Amino acid sequence: MSILVLAEHDNNELNPATLNAVAAAAQIGGDIHILVAGSGCGGVADAAAKVAGVSKVLSADSAEYANGIAENMIPLIMSVIDGYSHLLAPATTYGKNILPGVAALKDVAQISDIIRVDDADTFQRPIYAGNALATVKSGEALKVITVRTTSFEAVAAEGGSAAVEAVSATGDAGKTTFGKSELSSSDRPELTSAKIVISGGRGMQDGSNFAMLEKVADKLGAAVGASRAAVDAGFVPNDYQVGQTGKVVAPDLYVAVGISGAIQHLAGMKDSKVIVAINKDEEAPIFQVADYGLVDDLFSAVPQLEGEL
Amino acid sequence: MKILVPVKRVIDYNVKVRVKADQTGVELANVKMAMNPFDEIAVEQAIRLKEAGTATEIVAVSIGPDQSQETIRTALAMGADRGIHVPASHDTEPLAVAKILKALVEKEAPGLVILGKQAIDDDSNQTGQMLSALLGWPQATFASGVEIAGDALNVIREVDGGLEHISSKLPAVITVDLRLNEPRYASLPNIMKAKKKPLDQVSLDDLGVDASQRLTVVKVEEPPAREAGITVASVSELVDKLKNEAKVI
């Protein structure tokens, strides 16, 4: 068996989510190759070659791959995919955008967001926002899979010494042009890889009140997240959203502040090791999943928490 | 321009899902069903494009058992013009759905297909992307802003790190994210009117699509339950527990 893992990167650095996808590949077993497609991405290909357990890196360095436009990436993957038994990518917006098109053109089913590898054909994935776990078996010649990054511990970024092989570019499909990106800039850790996450919900009442959470986050080295209710209310941008329709996180410590605990929010954080809930409503469902619950007004509790840290 | 909007009938998002005792799936009998919330956003976007004079007709499509017609009626009550029901199993996989939609696109020749980014039952997030690849059309996934001028399509996409602006040309496939719009409620007069709007049935045979299952569901089970936690009396106690008991800070 040989497995191709699609690398996620920004042409400068390999996104660590790739290391979680490689970890899933290692559990499947077989030769693991990484495809790095980008523009001026030689450094990323070199970094991919050092990833533990990887035997080959395919590098496609050409302008049309600069921004991961799916219509350009899919023909490239199609040009190299023959002979592979599995195609994996992290279940990020990057992987979710690109992989289904490859599955469709290969006429095979995709298995999204796997959380466990049983064997080379059988995988477990959450359905209904994680309220049920389905074990599915695929008889397809090519298994196209996206990997929930929080369910697989990243392989080491160093230790490998794979060969880097250049592959021919497939050209610009001419379907979509990239305009610009507006990425949130923050000195805090990234939400999905942070060891500690502190999130606010509708109870925060206003976007400006998130400053309280940021102060706590800075003391703990934490990332700041939000519930869908807080995003819907316009308190914070959507990339803060933790939940079924946002990001899935599984930090060592998750602090939910003013979050009631809707099913769709729990789907995004209930695999956290330790959950703390601060809410003035003692009936809030979040307390049912919390290891430590504090029934208190967040506007007094959060500043006090900051003071005691 | 015609817009095709696929709508899926799923368990209502407020309902707590229960896994069947025999572990073959989740309980669907006597459970409140509703239109997939992302599909409501897709229908709303299509209606707004029609109200703006960009679109002329909205066709709502649902693939599934007979009750899927109720979901189509909901779309018609919101403002879609007509419906197409393709009778199929509730468990039709995304690849088969994409093939069915491709066949319908070839029949109906819309300029735009707008879908929800994922259905909240199987959470696959595949159908729109698969349809775009099968049609060879541009894809604009996870849209939180859509602007159409002539055949130019500008979309703002929700990506992990923030937002991304892309441009393409129609015809195209759009999948919508949460913040694109707030879907309207259907008024009672519109619900009555929707009953008279045309709703056709097209069979898988008519479309020439093989919708058989590719994946075998071995087992569906409940996720492991978390052990009950404790209530702390004060912030000081909380900090103490986190430092000395959980040892996470």
Side-chain angles (χ1 to χ4, degrees), chain B residues 81-224:
Chain B
D81 297 293
R82 65 186 170 89
I84 300 174
H85 173 225
V86 182
S89 144
H90 174 82
D91 298 318
T92 308
E93 291 170 356
L95 179 62
V97 172
K99 288 178 178 177
I100 293 165
L101 293 174
K102 176 176 185 262
L104 286 171
V105 164
E106 283 160 358
K107 218 170 126 157
E108 295 280 341
L112 194 58
V113 183
I114 310 181
L115 309 89
K117 74 165 180 179
Q118 77 192 65
I120 61 162
D121 51 4
D122 65 10
D123 286 330
S124 286
N125 196 329
Q126 299 174 5
T127 305
Q129 296 91 312
M130 287 181 157
L131 176 64
S132 132
L134 292 176
L135 287 168
W137 287 9
Q139 73 178 41
T141 52
F142 322 144
S144 64
V146 172
E147 201 184 81
I148 296 175
D151 70 343
L153 170 68
N154 293 307
V155 172
I156 301 172
R157 302 181 59 228
E158 302 269 6
V159 295
D160 286 335
L163 299 175
E164 203 175 275
H165 296 243
I166 58 167
S167 312
S168 5
K169 294 241 182 293
L170 299 180
V173 173
I174 297 174
T175 78
V176 303
D177 215 319
L178 274 179
R179 291 197 304 170
L180 181 60
N181 61 47
E182 259 188 60
R184 68 194 65 194
Y185 289 102
S187 67
L188 189 59
N190 285 342
I191 291 171
M192 299 311 286
K193 266 191 247 169
K195 293 183 177 162
K196 299 207 178 76
K197 289 185 179 177
L199 198 171
D200 298 323
Q201 272 201 340
V202 180
S203 73
L204 291 172
D205 284 346
D206 292 340
L207 297 171
V209 175
D210 172 10
S212 51
Q213 303 274 123
R214 300 291 192 85
L215 301 176
T216 312
V217 176
V218 180
K219 186 160 86 169
V220 174
E221 60 201 303
E222 300 261 2

Side-chain angles (χ1 to χ4, degrees), chain A residues 8 67 69-71 74 92-94 96-98 100-101 103-105 107-112 116 122 124-140 175-184 196 220 228 231-232 236-239 241 244-247 252-253 263 270-276 278 289-296 301 304-305 308-309, chain B residues 11 13-17 19 26 28 37-38 90 93 95 98-99 117-127 129-134 136-142 156-169 177-179 182 214-224 226-239 241-243 245-246 248-249:
Chain A
E8 177 166 349
N67 300 295
I69 296 282
E71 298 94 316
I74 292 166
T92 54
T93 52
Y94 180 85
K96 287 174 186 172
N97 189 42
I98 296 169
L105 295 180
D107 194 25
V108 297
Q110 175 177 310
I111 306 170
S112 295
R116 195 179 76 196
T122 314
Q124 192 181 55
R125 59 179 301 267
I127 55 175
Y128 291 93
N131 285 297
L133 305 177
T135 303
V136 295
K137 192 176 168 68
S138 167
E140 305 280 21
K175 288 187 180 133
T176 293
T177 48
F178 186 82
K180 59 173 179 180
S181 53
E182 293 172 50
L183 300 184
S184 309
I196 302 178
L220 292 171
R228 173 174 160 185
V231 172
D232 276 349
V236 287
N238 190 55
D239 51 287
Q241 192 195 150
Q244 179 188 18
T245 61
K247 293 192 173 81
D252 293 341
L253 172 61
I263 291 170
K270 66 186 164 70
D271 292 331
S272 305
K273 286 202 186 80
V274 175
I275 297 174
V276 170
I278 301 174
V289 299
D291 299 284
Y292 302 106
L294 176 63
V295 181
D296 198 354
Q304 202 191 334
L305 176 63
E308 296 204 13
L309 289 171
Chain B
I11 294 183
Y13 75 97
N14 284 312
V15 172
K16 172 87 176 86
V17 170
V19 171
V26 304
L28 292 175
F38 288 101
H90 174 82
E93 291 170 356
L95 179 62
K99 288 178 178 177
K117 74 165 180 179
Q118 77 192 65
I120 61 162
D121 51 4
D122 65 10
D123 286 330
S124 286
N125 196 329
Q126 299 174 5
T127 305
Q129 296 91 312
M130 287 181 157
L131 176 64
S132 132
L134 292 176
W137 287 9
Q139 73 178 41
T141 52
F142 322 144
I156 301 172
R157 302 181 59 228
E158 302 269 6
V159 295
D160 286 335
L163 299 175
E164 203 175 275
H165 296 243
I166 58 167
S167 312
S168 5
K169 294 241 182 293
D177 215 319
L178 274 179
R179 291 197 304 170
E182 259 188 60
R214 300 291 192 85
L215 301 176
T216 312
V217 176
V218 180
K219 186 160 86 169
V220 174
E221 60 201 303
E222 300 261 2
R226 284 188 80 94
E227 279 178 41
I230 59 163
T231 303
V232 292
S234 67
V235 171
S236 310
E237 189 188 348
L238 174 64
V239 172
K241 294 277 186 197
L242 292 178
K243 275 187 179 152
E245 191 176 87
V248 285
I249 58 172

